[in-house]
Amino acid sequence: MSTVEQNISLVKDFTYSRDLTRRIVEPLEVEDFGIQAMTDVSPPKWHLAHTTWFYEDFILKQYKENYNYVFEDTRKLFNSYYETLSKPFPKSQRGLISRPTVQQIFDYRNKVEEQVLELLNESGQVDEQLTFFIRLGIWHEQQHQELLLTDMKYNFSVNPLLPVYKEGRAETEGITFHQPVEWKAFEEGLTLVGTNDASGSFDNEQPEHKHYLYPFQIANRPVTNGEYIAFIEDGGYTTPDYWLSEGWSTVQEEEWHAPLYWWKEDGTWYHFTLAGAQPLDKTQPVSHVSYYEADAFARWAGCRLPSEQEWEHAFKTENIEGNFLETYLYDESRAQHNTVFGTVWEWTRSPYSPYPESARPDGALGEYNAKFMSNQMVLRGGSTATPQGHIRPTYRNFFHPDKRWQFSGIRLAKDGRV
Ligand SMILES: [Fe+2]
């Protein structure tokens, strides 16, 4: 690809990602933009501003001579956790930021976009490093597009009126997962995990390295709501034997008796979705479970969760197609069959830690992924809220084991040959 073609492709991808964010918040009313219903989630207006601040501090400040921040104060409010750049505002207080107003934040986005496009259109400016940072800005915005949906869902869920974000369809409608599980079996041996593609992946996916696998089998589809109901009805949440110690404590403390957003009324299970309250479809993949619940279900089922290396080895040649953010938002192409990618993130049994011979990047980049490598578990595959262009077979998502407001589900594995 020539330099000019690369510029055009960058501009196109940048503009697409910024427009997609606008499209995501289109159904919101102004009152929805400031809500932060728990510390894990951020208000929609904060996401809009933070993904804009990112371009200012990571790119415009470095590449534009004497760059003036659009609002000097945005650095005080919209830096998430980059200690090397400025003092971050406490996450738990993001819902208290009433000013700048929603309209001012939309104006802020427009102004920064103009500056980024100007930078990209200046001849000779787009070197390899700038290309990398623009790609990083796009990936970063994609991550927040997913968070916008999962956070809005949580924010709406605490309102007893159970507001509808988008009429029409539940998040996973259109795919049926009711077929009996088939097991894909793999022999033991060395495999390659991760990637050396420094311009096309995050630092946490690098480098490509050898990993020894023992014989294992992995399910061809995720666990369904119907199968999870069987676990509940068999005393899943009242039998300590199935649970890790911390998981069992969390079940007691949080009084969990089902996945997040589920309730039972007159003998029927319902769940809250972005399309409001819906009866639970037993053929759909179970979603909004924590690592603890995924692990307990697997034990009850006589199986275990896959390691992230097993997951990657099993699915690295699969097409990246499935039920993604674009499918959900635009309702264009419903996936008609079982796909590995999309629909729900799948918990693995692997702790989120550095790959062999990986190096933590210097400065703020080292704060992007690497500083979170403790006490979190890896999830693979992407969800119904992940932009399709964001996911790849080596992609590592990570959350604490008690978190369940993401679209997180379960794929089973087991030891041994068939
Ligand atoms: Fe961020």
Side-chain angles (χ1 to χ4, degrees), residues 82-127:
Y82 298 91
E83 305 280 350
T84 51
L85 297 176
S86 59
K87 186 174 162 48
F89 184 76
K91 183 169 184 183
S92 59
Q93 294 174 28
R94 289 175 186 167
L96 305 179
I97 303 170
S98 63
R99 308 296 170 96
T101 63
V102 173
Q103 187 53 54
Q104 283 171 321
I105 284 172
F106 277 108
D107 293 343
Y108 171 45
R109 284 181 68 86
N110 291 339
K111 284 182 181 139
V112 169
E113 278 165 32
E114 280 166 23
Q115 300 260 7
V116 172
L117 288 172
E118 200 180 285
L119 181 67
L120 289 175
N121 289 327
E122 283 167 15
S123 57
Q125 277 278 5
V126 186
D127 58 21

mmCIF file of all heavy atoms in Angstrom, residues 82-127:
data_model
loop_
_atom_site.group_PDB
_atom_site.id
_atom_site.type_symbol
_atom_site.label_atom_id
_atom_site.label_comp_id
_atom_site.label_asym_id
_atom_site.label_seq_id
_atom_site.Cartn_x
_atom_site.Cartn_y
_atom_site.Cartn_z
ATOM 1 N N TYR A 82 -3.827 7.153 33.343
ATOM 2 C CA TYR A 82 -2.440 7.325 32.869
ATOM 3 C C TYR A 82 -1.690 8.274 33.800
ATOM 4 O O TYR A 82 -1.665 9.486 33.586
ATOM 5 C CB TYR A 82 -2.438 7.811 31.414
ATOM 6 C CG TYR A 82 -3.076 6.807 30.498
ATOM 7 C CD1 TYR A 82 -4.439 6.849 30.211
ATOM 8 C CD2 TYR A 82 -2.319 5.780 29.943
ATOM 9 C CE1 TYR A 82 -5.026 5.908 29.396
ATOM 10 C CE2 TYR A 82 -2.899 4.824 29.115
ATOM 11 C CZ TYR A 82 -4.249 4.894 28.848
ATOM 12 O OH TYR A 82 -4.836 3.954 28.040
ATOM 13 N N GLU A 83 -1.074 7.689 34.830
ATOM 14 C CA GLU A 83 -0.405 8.490 35.864
ATOM 15 C C GLU A 83 0.770 9.277 35.281
ATOM 16 O O GLU A 83 1.153 10.309 35.827
ATOM 17 C CB GLU A 83 0.098 7.584 36.991
ATOM 18 C CG GLU A 83 -0.967 6.703 37.631
ATOM 19 C CD GLU A 83 -1.810 7.447 38.653
ATOM 20 O OE1 GLU A 83 -1.457 8.583 38.991
ATOM 21 O OE2 GLU A 83 -2.835 6.869 39.085
ATOM 22 N N THR A 84 1.383 8.756 34.197
ATOM 23 C CA THR A 84 2.538 9.451 33.633
ATOM 24 C C THR A 84 2.123 10.715 32.863
ATOM 25 O O THR A 84 2.979 11.511 32.501
ATOM 26 C CB THR A 84 3.331 8.538 32.658
ATOM 27 O OG1 THR A 84 2.408 7.994 31.719
ATOM 28 C CG2 THR A 84 4.047 7.433 33.379
ATOM 29 N N LEU A 85 0.832 10.898 32.594
ATOM 30 C CA LEU A 85 0.401 12.057 31.801
ATOM 31 C C LEU A 85 -0.140 13.201 32.659
ATOM 32 O O LEU A 85 0.179 14.360 32.430
ATOM 33 C CB LEU A 85 -0.667 11.625 30.786
ATOM 34 C CG LEU A 85 -0.201 10.613 29.727
ATOM 35 C CD1 LEU A 85 -1.360 10.190 28.832
ATOM 36 C CD2 LEU A 85 0.923 11.195 28.865
ATOM 37 N N SER A 86 -1.006 12.884 33.601
ATOM 38 C CA SER A 86 -1.556 13.904 34.512
ATOM 39 C C SER A 86 -2.251 13.155 35.643
ATOM 40 O O SER A 86 -2.348 11.938 35.610
ATOM 41 C CB SER A 86 -2.554 14.817 33.777
ATOM 42 O OG SER A 86 -3.628 14.053 33.248
ATOM 43 N N LYS A 87 -2.750 13.894 36.623
ATOM 44 C CA LYS A 87 -3.401 13.213 37.752
ATOM 45 C C LYS A 87 -4.824 12.805 37.345
ATOM 46 O O LYS A 87 -5.658 13.665 37.052
ATOM 47 C CB LYS A 87 -3.451 14.170 38.941
ATOM 48 C CG LYS A 87 -3.966 13.531 40.222
ATOM 49 C CD LYS A 87 -3.829 14.516 41.370
ATOM 50 C CE LYS A 87 -4.700 14.152 42.564
ATOM 51 N NZ LYS A 87 -4.622 12.771 42.976
ATOM 52 N N PRO A 88 -5.096 11.474 37.302
ATOM 53 C CA PRO A 88 -6.448 11.053 36.886
ATOM 54 C C PRO A 88 -7.519 11.456 37.908
ATOM 55 O O PRO A 88 -7.266 11.461 39.105
ATOM 56 C CB PRO A 88 -6.339 9.531 36.792
ATOM 57 C CG PRO A 88 -4.875 9.229 36.752
ATOM 58 C CD PRO A 88 -4.220 10.327 37.550
ATOM 59 N N PHE A 89 -8.692 11.764 37.414
ATOM 60 C CA PHE A 89 -9.852 12.061 38.266
ATOM 61 C C PHE A 89 -10.402 10.725 38.795
ATOM 62 O O PHE A 89 -10.443 9.746 38.049
ATOM 63 C CB PHE A 89 -10.901 12.784 37.417
ATOM 64 C CG PHE A 89 -12.108 13.234 38.185
ATOM 65 C CD1 PHE A 89 -12.043 14.350 39.007
ATOM 66 C CD2 PHE A 89 -13.313 12.544 38.080
ATOM 67 C CE1 PHE A 89 -13.157 14.772 39.711
ATOM 68 C CE2 PHE A 89 -14.429 12.962 38.786
ATOM 69 C CZ PHE A 89 -14.355 14.076 39.603
ATOM 70 N N PRO A 90 -10.824 10.671 40.071
ATOM 71 C CA PRO A 90 -11.291 9.373 40.616
ATOM 72 C C PRO A 90 -12.429 8.760 39.806
ATOM 73 O O PRO A 90 -13.422 9.417 39.517
ATOM 74 C CB PRO A 90 -11.777 9.749 42.022
ATOM 75 C CG PRO A 90 -11.118 11.042 42.342
ATOM 76 C CD PRO A 90 -10.887 11.754 41.045
ATOM 77 N N LYS A 91 -12.251 7.484 39.481
ATOM 78 C CA LYS A 91 -13.236 6.792 38.648
ATOM 79 C C LYS A 91 -14.634 6.796 39.276
ATOM 80 O O LYS A 91 -15.630 6.966 38.590
ATOM 81 C CB LYS A 91 -12.778 5.348 38.394
ATOM 82 C CG LYS A 91 -13.709 4.598 37.473
ATOM 83 C CD LYS A 91 -13.181 3.276 36.985
ATOM 84 C CE LYS A 91 -14.176 2.688 35.980
ATOM 85 N NZ LYS A 91 -13.785 1.378 35.491
ATOM 86 N N SER A 92 -14.659 6.634 40.601
ATOM 87 C CA SER A 92 -15.959 6.524 41.275
ATOM 88 C C SER A 92 -16.762 7.823 41.214
ATOM 89 O O SER A 92 -17.946 7.838 41.519
ATOM 90 C CB SER A 92 -15.742 6.140 42.738
ATOM 91 O OG SER A 92 -14.946 7.131 43.366
ATOM 92 N N GLN A 93 -16.100 8.923 40.814
ATOM 93 C CA GLN A 93 -16.791 10.219 40.819
ATOM 94 C C GLN A 93 -17.106 10.745 39.417
ATOM 95 O O GLN A 93 -17.460 11.913 39.252
ATOM 96 C CB GLN A 93 -15.937 11.241 41.583
ATOM 97 C CG GLN A 93 -15.827 10.889 43.054
ATOM 98 C CD GLN A 93 -14.865 11.792 43.805
ATOM 99 O OE1 GLN A 93 -14.665 12.938 43.447
ATOM 100 N NE2 GLN A 93 -14.257 11.271 44.843
ATOM 101 N N ARG A 94 -16.967 9.899 38.417
ATOM 102 C CA ARG A 94 -17.212 10.372 37.045
ATOM 103 C C ARG A 94 -18.667 10.823 36.841
ATOM 104 O O ARG A 94 -18.925 11.649 35.976
ATOM 105 C CB ARG A 94 -16.848 9.272 36.038
ATOM 106 C CG ARG A 94 -15.355 9.056 35.937
ATOM 107 C CD ARG A 94 -15.006 7.875 35.029
ATOM 108 N NE ARG A 94 -13.575 7.617 35.079
ATOM 109 C CZ ARG A 94 -12.992 6.515 34.609
ATOM 110 N NH1 ARG A 94 -13.726 5.581 34.044
ATOM 111 N NH2 ARG A 94 -11.684 6.352 34.695
ATOM 112 N N GLY A 95 -19.569 10.268 37.629
ATOM 113 C CA GLY A 95 -20.978 10.653 37.504
ATOM 114 C C GLY A 95 -21.276 12.028 38.081
ATOM 115 O O GLY A 95 -22.397 12.527 37.977
ATOM 116 N N LEU A 96 -20.266 12.642 38.711
ATOM 117 C CA LEU A 96 -20.485 13.962 39.321
ATOM 118 C C LEU A 96 -20.102 15.106 38.386
ATOM 119 O O LEU A 96 -20.249 16.275 38.725
ATOM 120 C CB LEU A 96 -19.654 14.080 40.616
ATOM 121 C CG LEU A 96 -19.896 12.980 41.652
ATOM 122 C CD1 LEU A 96 -19.005 13.178 42.869
ATOM 123 C CD2 LEU A 96 -21.366 12.965 42.069
ATOM 124 N N ILE A 97 -19.580 14.745 37.207
ATOM 125 C CA ILE A 97 -19.094 15.785 36.292
ATOM 126 C C ILE A 97 -20.260 16.306 35.451
ATOM 127 O O ILE A 97 -20.565 15.783 34.379
ATOM 128 C CB ILE A 97 -17.970 15.213 35.384
ATOM 129 C CG1 ILE A 97 -16.833 14.648 36.241
ATOM 130 C CG2 ILE A 97 -17.450 16.283 34.440
ATOM 131 C CD1 ILE A 97 -15.806 13.843 35.439
ATOM 132 N N SER A 98 -20.938 17.343 35.947
ATOM 133 C CA SER A 98 -22.069 17.888 35.177
ATOM 134 C C SER A 98 -21.588 18.878 34.118
ATOM 135 O O SER A 98 -22.269 19.122 33.125
ATOM 136 C CB SER A 98 -23.079 18.553 36.106
ATOM 137 O OG SER A 98 -22.472 19.644 36.766
ATOM 138 N N ARG A 99 -20.428 19.480 34.348
ATOM 139 C CA ARG A 99 -19.833 20.386 33.354
ATOM 140 C C ARG A 99 -18.448 19.875 32.991
ATOM 141 O O ARG A 99 -17.725 19.451 33.888
ATOM 142 C CB ARG A 99 -19.732 21.815 33.914
ATOM 143 C CG ARG A 99 -21.007 22.369 34.472
ATOM 144 C CD ARG A 99 -22.054 22.505 33.378
ATOM 145 N NE ARG A 99 -23.360 22.826 33.957
ATOM 146 C CZ ARG A 99 -23.832 24.078 34.052
ATOM 147 N NH1 ARG A 99 -23.102 25.085 33.634
ATOM 148 N NH2 ARG A 99 -25.021 24.284 34.563
ATOM 149 N N PRO A 100 -18.019 19.952 31.739
ATOM 150 C CA PRO A 100 -18.733 20.506 30.603
ATOM 151 C C PRO A 100 -20.043 19.755 30.313
ATOM 152 O O PRO A 100 -20.188 18.578 30.663
ATOM 153 C CB PRO A 100 -17.757 20.329 29.439
ATOM 154 C CG PRO A 100 -16.591 19.585 29.943
ATOM 155 C CD PRO A 100 -16.717 19.390 31.394
ATOM 156 N N THR A 101 -20.945 20.447 29.667
ATOM 157 C CA THR A 101 -22.260 19.876 29.359
ATOM 158 C C THR A 101 -22.132 18.858 28.222
ATOM 159 O O THR A 101 -21.096 18.771 27.560
ATOM 160 C CB THR A 101 -23.227 20.985 28.895
ATOM 161 O OG1 THR A 101 -22.701 21.532 27.676
ATOM 162 C CG2 THR A 101 -23.374 22.084 29.931
ATOM 163 N N VAL A 102 -23.212 18.122 28.010
ATOM 164 C CA VAL A 102 -23.228 17.132 26.929
ATOM 165 C C VAL A 102 -22.959 17.822 25.588
ATOM 166 O O VAL A 102 -22.164 17.360 24.772
ATOM 167 C CB VAL A 102 -24.577 16.381 26.917
ATOM 168 C CG1 VAL A 102 -24.681 15.465 25.705
ATOM 169 C CG2 VAL A 102 -24.741 15.589 28.219
ATOM 170 N N GLN A 103 -23.610 18.962 25.384
ATOM 171 C CA GLN A 103 -23.408 19.681 24.110
ATOM 172 C C GLN A 103 -21.952 20.122 23.955
ATOM 173 O O GLN A 103 -21.362 20.008 22.877
ATOM 174 C CB GLN A 103 -24.346 20.897 24.041
ATOM 175 C CG GLN A 103 -24.330 21.595 22.681
ATOM 176 C CD GLN A 103 -24.585 20.635 21.516
ATOM 177 O OE1 GLN A 103 -25.591 19.911 21.518
ATOM 178 N NE2 GLN A 103 -23.680 20.591 20.539
ATOM 179 N N GLN A 104 -21.368 20.604 25.054
ATOM 180 C CA GLN A 104 -19.960 21.030 24.980
ATOM 181 C C GLN A 104 -19.039 19.856 24.650
ATOM 182 O O GLN A 104 -18.041 20.018 23.959
ATOM 183 C CB GLN A 104 -19.539 21.682 26.311
ATOM 184 C CG GLN A 104 -20.061 23.095 26.468
ATOM 185 C CD GLN A 104 -19.829 23.642 27.867
ATOM 186 O OE1 GLN A 104 -19.952 22.936 28.866
ATOM 187 N NE2 GLN A 104 -19.490 24.925 27.938
ATOM 188 N N ILE A 105 -19.415 18.676 25.135
ATOM 189 C CA ILE A 105 -18.572 17.505 24.853
ATOM 190 C C ILE A 105 -18.702 17.092 23.382
ATOM 191 O O ILE A 105 -17.708 16.720 22.754
ATOM 192 C CB ILE A 105 -18.893 16.367 25.839
ATOM 193 C CG1 ILE A 105 -18.243 16.720 27.173
ATOM 194 C CG2 ILE A 105 -18.377 15.020 25.333
ATOM 195 C CD1 ILE A 105 -18.577 15.843 28.322
ATOM 196 N N PHE A 106 -19.895 17.196 22.830
ATOM 197 C CA PHE A 106 -20.019 16.936 21.379
ATOM 198 C C PHE A 106 -19.197 17.946 20.579
ATOM 199 O O PHE A 106 -18.553 17.592 19.594
ATOM 200 C CB PHE A 106 -21.492 16.958 20.943
ATOM 201 C CG PHE A 106 -22.187 15.636 21.184
ATOM 202 C CD1 PHE A 106 -23.121 15.492 22.199
ATOM 203 C CD2 PHE A 106 -21.896 14.536 20.388
ATOM 204 C CE1 PHE A 106 -23.752 14.274 22.428
ATOM 205 C CE2 PHE A 106 -22.519 13.312 20.602
ATOM 206 C CZ PHE A 106 -23.440 13.182 21.630
ATOM 207 N N ASP A 107 -19.205 19.215 21.008
ATOM 208 C CA ASP A 107 -18.396 20.240 20.324
ATOM 209 C C ASP A 107 -16.913 19.918 20.459
ATOM 210 O O ASP A 107 -16.141 20.085 19.512
ATOM 211 C CB ASP A 107 -18.661 21.634 20.922
ATOM 212 C CG ASP A 107 -20.073 22.111 20.643
ATOM 213 O OD1 ASP A 107 -20.722 21.527 19.744
ATOM 214 O OD2 ASP A 107 -20.528 23.039 21.337
ATOM 215 N N TYR A 108 -16.524 19.469 21.654
ATOM 216 C CA TYR A 108 -15.132 19.080 21.920
ATOM 217 C C TYR A 108 -14.709 17.970 20.964
ATOM 218 O O TYR A 108 -13.642 18.016 20.351
ATOM 219 C CB TYR A 108 -15.055 18.640 23.383
ATOM 220 C CG TYR A 108 -13.770 17.993 23.852
ATOM 221 C CD1 TYR A 108 -12.521 18.519 23.528
ATOM 222 C CD2 TYR A 108 -13.814 16.853 24.672
ATOM 223 C CE1 TYR A 108 -11.354 17.924 23.990
ATOM 224 C CE2 TYR A 108 -12.662 16.263 25.143
ATOM 225 C CZ TYR A 108 -11.435 16.790 24.792
ATOM 226 O OH TYR A 108 -10.288 16.203 25.249
ATOM 227 N N ARG A 109 -15.589 16.973 20.809
ATOM 228 C CA ARG A 109 -15.275 15.878 19.880
ATOM 229 C C ARG A 109 -15.052 16.416 18.458
ATOM 230 O O ARG A 109 -14.080 16.071 17.804
ATOM 231 C CB ARG A 109 -16.424 14.845 19.854
ATOM 232 C CG ARG A 109 -16.466 13.947 21.051
ATOM 233 C CD ARG A 109 -17.613 12.934 20.957
ATOM 234 N NE ARG A 109 -17.407 11.960 19.893
ATOM 235 C CZ ARG A 109 -16.709 10.833 20.015
ATOM 236 N NH1 ARG A 109 -16.162 10.528 21.175
ATOM 237 N NH2 ARG A 109 -16.584 10.002 19.004
ATOM 238 N N ASN A 110 -15.937 17.286 18.028
ATOM 239 C CA ASN A 110 -15.803 17.814 16.656
ATOM 240 C C ASN A 110 -14.486 18.558 16.478
ATOM 241 O O ASN A 110 -13.806 18.391 15.467
ATOM 242 C CB ASN A 110 -16.967 18.768 16.338
ATOM 243 C CG ASN A 110 -18.275 18.005 16.224
ATOM 244 O OD1 ASN A 110 -18.269 16.796 16.003
ATOM 245 N ND2 ASN A 110 -19.381 18.703 16.384
ATOM 246 N N LYS A 111 -14.137 19.375 17.456
ATOM 247 C CA LYS A 111 -12.915 20.194 17.325
ATOM 248 C C LYS A 111 -11.668 19.317 17.269
ATOM 249 O O LYS A 111 -10.760 19.549 16.477
ATOM 250 C CB LYS A 111 -12.826 21.188 18.480
ATOM 251 C CG LYS A 111 -13.773 22.349 18.281
ATOM 252 C CD LYS A 111 -13.671 23.374 19.380
ATOM 253 C CE LYS A 111 -14.676 24.496 19.114
ATOM 254 N NZ LYS A 111 -15.349 24.952 20.320
ATOM 255 N N VAL A 112 -11.624 18.309 18.125
ATOM 256 C CA VAL A 112 -10.442 17.427 18.132
ATOM 257 C C VAL A 112 -10.386 16.609 16.843
ATOM 258 O O VAL A 112 -9.317 16.407 16.265
ATOM 259 C CB VAL A 112 -10.445 16.535 19.395
ATOM 260 C CG1 VAL A 112 -9.406 15.433 19.302
ATOM 261 C CG2 VAL A 112 -10.189 17.388 20.634
ATOM 262 N N GLU A 113 -11.547 16.162 16.371
ATOM 263 C CA GLU A 113 -11.558 15.424 15.090
ATOM 264 C C GLU A 113 -11.000 16.280 13.960
ATOM 265 O O GLU A 113 -10.223 15.799 13.132
ATOM 266 C CB GLU A 113 -12.989 14.988 14.742
ATOM 267 C CG GLU A 113 -13.387 13.715 15.456
ATOM 268 C CD GLU A 113 -14.879 13.466 15.422
ATOM 269 O OE1 GLU A 113 -15.558 13.837 14.437
ATOM 270 O OE2 GLU A 113 -15.387 12.901 16.411
ATOM 271 N N GLU A 114 -11.390 17.541 13.933
ATOM 272 C CA GLU A 114 -10.857 18.438 12.885
ATOM 273 C C GLU A 114 -9.340 18.504 12.957
ATOM 274 O O GLU A 114 -8.657 18.472 11.937
ATOM 275 C CB GLU A 114 -11.423 19.858 13.069
ATOM 276 C CG GLU A 114 -12.819 20.024 12.516
ATOM 277 C CD GLU A 114 -13.465 21.320 13.004
ATOM 278 O OE1 GLU A 114 -12.733 22.263 13.390
ATOM 279 O OE2 GLU A 114 -14.705 21.367 13.029
ATOM 280 N N GLN A 115 -8.819 18.583 14.170
ATOM 281 C CA GLN A 115 -7.362 18.697 14.335
ATOM 282 C C GLN A 115 -6.656 17.412 13.891
ATOM 283 O O GLN A 115 -5.606 17.459 13.271
ATOM 284 C CB GLN A 115 -7.013 18.958 15.809
ATOM 285 C CG GLN A 115 -7.603 20.220 16.363
ATOM 286 C CD GLN A 115 -6.581 21.347 16.383
ATOM 287 O OE1 GLN A 115 -5.482 21.210 15.859
ATOM 288 N NE2 GLN A 115 -6.953 22.461 16.974
ATOM 289 N N VAL A 116 -7.259 16.251 14.233
ATOM 290 C CA VAL A 116 -6.642 14.975 13.837
ATOM 291 C C VAL A 116 -6.662 14.847 12.311
ATOM 292 O O VAL A 116 -5.662 14.483 11.690
ATOM 293 C CB VAL A 116 -7.356 13.774 14.501
ATOM 294 C CG1 VAL A 116 -6.845 12.448 13.945
ATOM 295 C CG2 VAL A 116 -7.157 13.811 16.018
ATOM 296 N N LEU A 117 -7.794 15.185 11.701
ATOM 297 C CA LEU A 117 -7.893 15.083 10.234
ATOM 298 C C LEU A 117 -6.918 16.038 9.561
ATOM 299 O O LEU A 117 -6.295 15.703 8.553
ATOM 300 C CB LEU A 117 -9.329 15.347 9.783
ATOM 301 C CG LEU A 117 -10.312 14.222 10.122
ATOM 302 C CD1 LEU A 117 -11.748 14.628 9.829
ATOM 303 C CD2 LEU A 117 -9.962 12.934 9.360
ATOM 304 N N GLU A 118 -6.766 17.211 10.149
ATOM 305 C CA GLU A 118 -5.801 18.185 9.608
ATOM 306 C C GLU A 118 -4.391 17.596 9.657
ATOM 307 O O GLU A 118 -3.640 17.672 8.698
ATOM 308 C CB GLU A 118 -5.871 19.450 10.459
ATOM 309 C CG GLU A 118 -5.339 20.700 9.809
ATOM 310 C CD GLU A 118 -5.479 21.878 10.777
ATOM 311 O OE1 GLU A 118 -6.610 22.355 10.954
ATOM 312 O OE2 GLU A 118 -4.454 22.278 11.369
ATOM 313 N N LEU A 119 -4.074 16.980 10.765
ATOM 314 C CA LEU A 119 -2.752 16.358 10.920
ATOM 315 C C LEU A 119 -2.531 15.259 9.872
ATOM 316 O O LEU A 119 -1.464 15.157 9.269
ATOM 317 C CB LEU A 119 -2.649 15.763 12.333
ATOM 318 C CG LEU A 119 -1.351 15.091 12.734
ATOM 319 C CD1 LEU A 119 -0.215 16.101 12.828
ATOM 320 C CD2 LEU A 119 -1.514 14.378 14.084
ATOM 321 N N LEU A 120 -3.587 14.452 9.657
ATOM 322 C CA LEU A 120 -3.456 13.351 8.699
ATOM 323 C C LEU A 120 -3.388 13.850 7.261
ATOM 324 O O LEU A 120 -2.825 13.190 6.394
ATOM 325 C CB LEU A 120 -4.623 12.368 8.854
ATOM 326 C CG LEU A 120 -4.606 11.531 10.126
ATOM 327 C CD1 LEU A 120 -5.868 10.687 10.238
ATOM 328 C CD2 LEU A 120 -3.380 10.628 10.176
ATOM 329 N N ASN A 121 -3.971 15.008 7.024
ATOM 330 C CA ASN A 121 -3.974 15.531 5.658
ATOM 331 C C ASN A 121 -2.734 16.342 5.323
ATOM 332 O O ASN A 121 -2.483 16.655 4.171
ATOM 333 C CB ASN A 121 -5.233 16.380 5.416
ATOM 334 C CG ASN A 121 -6.469 15.494 5.338
ATOM 335 O OD1 ASN A 121 -6.385 14.363 4.864
ATOM 336 N ND2 ASN A 121 -7.586 15.978 5.833
ATOM 337 N N GLU A 122 -1.973 16.690 6.368
ATOM 338 C CA GLU A 122 -0.732 17.419 6.089
ATOM 339 C C GLU A 122 0.250 16.458 5.444
ATOM 340 O O GLU A 122 0.526 15.389 5.965
ATOM 341 C CB GLU A 122 -0.133 17.975 7.395
ATOM 342 C CG GLU A 122 -0.854 19.205 7.890
ATOM 343 C CD GLU A 122 -0.456 19.549 9.331
ATOM 344 O OE1 GLU A 122 0.555 19.015 9.821
ATOM 345 O OE2 GLU A 122 -1.185 20.345 9.947
ATOM 346 N N SER A 123 0.789 16.863 4.297
ATOM 347 C CA SER A 123 1.645 15.929 3.552
ATOM 348 C C SER A 123 2.912 15.597 4.342
ATOM 349 O O SER A 123 3.462 16.423 5.056
ATOM 350 C CB SER A 123 2.026 16.529 2.209
ATOM 351 O OG SER A 123 2.672 17.766 2.413
ATOM 352 N N GLY A 124 3.325 14.356 4.228
ATOM 353 C CA GLY A 124 4.590 13.935 4.832
ATOM 354 C C GLY A 124 4.548 13.709 6.329
ATOM 355 O O GLY A 124 5.543 13.344 6.938
ATOM 356 N N GLN A 125 3.370 13.923 6.950
ATOM 357 C CA GLN A 125 3.304 13.809 8.411
ATOM 358 C C GLN A 125 3.128 12.378 8.897
ATOM 359 O O GLN A 125 3.505 12.055 10.004
ATOM 360 C CB GLN A 125 2.129 14.637 8.945
ATOM 361 C CG GLN A 125 2.445 16.106 9.128
ATOM 362 C CD GLN A 125 3.152 16.356 10.450
ATOM 363 O OE1 GLN A 125 3.483 15.425 11.170
ATOM 364 N NE2 GLN A 125 3.427 17.609 10.747
ATOM 365 N N VAL A 126 2.503 11.526 8.075
ATOM 366 C CA VAL A 126 2.075 10.234 8.604
ATOM 367 C C VAL A 126 3.201 9.207 8.524
ATOM 368 O O VAL A 126 3.331 8.458 7.569
ATOM 369 C CB VAL A 126 0.803 9.728 7.875
ATOM 370 C CG1 VAL A 126 0.286 8.457 8.518
ATOM 371 C CG2 VAL A 126 -0.254 10.808 7.905
ATOM 372 N N ASP A 127 4.023 9.198 9.542
ATOM 373 C CA ASP A 127 5.086 8.197 9.595
ATOM 374 C C ASP A 127 4.558 6.959 10.315
ATOM 375 O O ASP A 127 3.388 6.902 10.723
ATOM 376 C CB ASP A 127 6.339 8.769 10.277
ATOM 377 C CG ASP A 127 6.030 9.265 11.680
ATOM 378 O OD1 ASP A 127 5.014 8.836 12.269
ATOM 379 O OD2 ASP A 127 6.813 10.082 12.206
#
